[in-house]
Amino acid sequence: MSQKLGICVTTRANLDHVVGLARAAKATGREVDTFFTGEGVLLTQAPGFGELLGEATVKVCEVSYFANGLKGREVPGLVDKDFVTQGRNAEMVDECDRYLIL
């Protein structure tokens, strides 16, 4: 198993913590995967969200994105393939040696 940190973001709070955790993990040589779901998808519209893109792989639950009224809104730095299902979250759990839920 690789040295990889997974971060599942389920709330609209703590973007600074997500970015800080990703930076700290990357600085120690870990790969970082993030998955935004539930109200966490609202952070894709927050100032500072782009800071995460250079620190981690970012995936967004498409169903949550639509359910939170964001359908049609672009997220700079993300493309269609970055909007995924909960299946990607399950894969991330399996791939990461450490997994956090915020």
Side-chain angles (χ1 to χ4, degrees):
M1 186 175 292
S2 69
Q3 293 288 307
K4 188 183 284 191
L5 172 65
I7 305 172
C8 180
V9 183
T10 63
T11 65
R12 64 174 94 186
N14 302 318
L15 179 59
D16 291 342
H17 291 300
V18 176
V19 174
L21 284 167
R23 282 188 179 140
K26 187 176 176 184
T28 65
R30 288 186 185 269
E31 293 179 56
V32 182
D33 285 353
T34 59
F35 182 80
F36 288 78
T37 190
E39 288 187 348
V41 301
L42 297 170
L43 292 176
T44 64
Q45 307 300 303
F49 180 79
E51 293 179 39
L52 185 60
L53 300 178
E55 307 298 332
T57 300
V58 177
K59 300 295 181 191
V60 177
C61 175
E62 184 173 53
V63 171
S64 293
Y65 198 77
F66 290 172
N68 280 279
L70 300 175
K71 184 176 182 175
R73 289 194 187 183
E74 291 186 28
V75 180
L78 297 186
V79 296
D80 286 345
K81 69 177 181 143
D82 295 322
F83 292 84
V84 296
T85 67
Q86 287 291 329
R88 177 61 200 130
N89 188 27
E91 290 172 354
M92 188 173 77
V93 170
D94 187 52
E95 295 169 357
C96 296
D97 62 311
R98 299 287 186 268
Y99 181 81
L100 300 172
I101 301 173
L102 299 175

